[in-house]
Amino acid sequence: QYDAAYKMLTKSLDDYPSPEAKEALAKLEAQKGNCNTAFHLLSDISDKHSTGYLLGMGDVSRKCEQYQQANTYYQKVLKKYPYNTDALW
């Protein structure tokens, strides 16, 4: 299941390196336990204030058991969007 998603996302990044694809691949890497790779992928996203970046950092931090850091990113999202269900973990 993860292998197919991984192949699809890496191909997508080769063809069009979008922030959304980087975020999705970073979450997958974190799920697989590759936290350094996940954080590196997210560091390439230029807009560090976008909701996608903040949620991605929150999700990767949570999956990598960095709960304080995850909370910080989720709180930034909730300041802008108080009812964002992705940030209400």
Side-chain angles (χ1 to χ4, degrees):
Q1 164 184 357
Y2 290 122
D3 291 336
Y6 184 84
K7 286 178 185 177
M8 181 187 71
L9 288 168
T10 53
K11 171 94 172 91
S12 174
L13 280 176
D14 289 342
D15 295 340
Y16 180 71
S18 71
E20 295 82 8
K22 288 180 184 178
E23 178 191 345
L25 186 57
K27 290 178 184 180
L28 182 61
E29 290 287 0
Q31 187 72 31
K32 292 170 55 177
N34 301 327
C35 295
N36 288 338
T37 302
F39 285 117
H40 178 73
L41 283 164
L42 289 172
S43 72
D44 285 343
I45 296 175
S46 60
D47 185 358
K48 304 291 193 250
H49 299 288
S50 71
T51 301
Y53 170 80
L54 296 171
L55 286 173
M57 285 296 291
D59 290 346
V60 168
S61 298
R62 183 174 46 83
K63 289 176 183 177
C64 294
E65 299 181 0
Q66 297 179 13
Y67 301 114
Q68 287 290 89
Q69 183 172 314
N71 185 54
T72 299
Y73 285 106
Y74 290 141
Q75 290 303 315
K76 289 179 181 182
V77 172
L78 291 171
K79 264 189 180 177
K80 290 165 58 173
Y81 306 102
Y83 302 106
N84 185 305
T85 56
D86 293 324
L88 292 170
W89 64 291

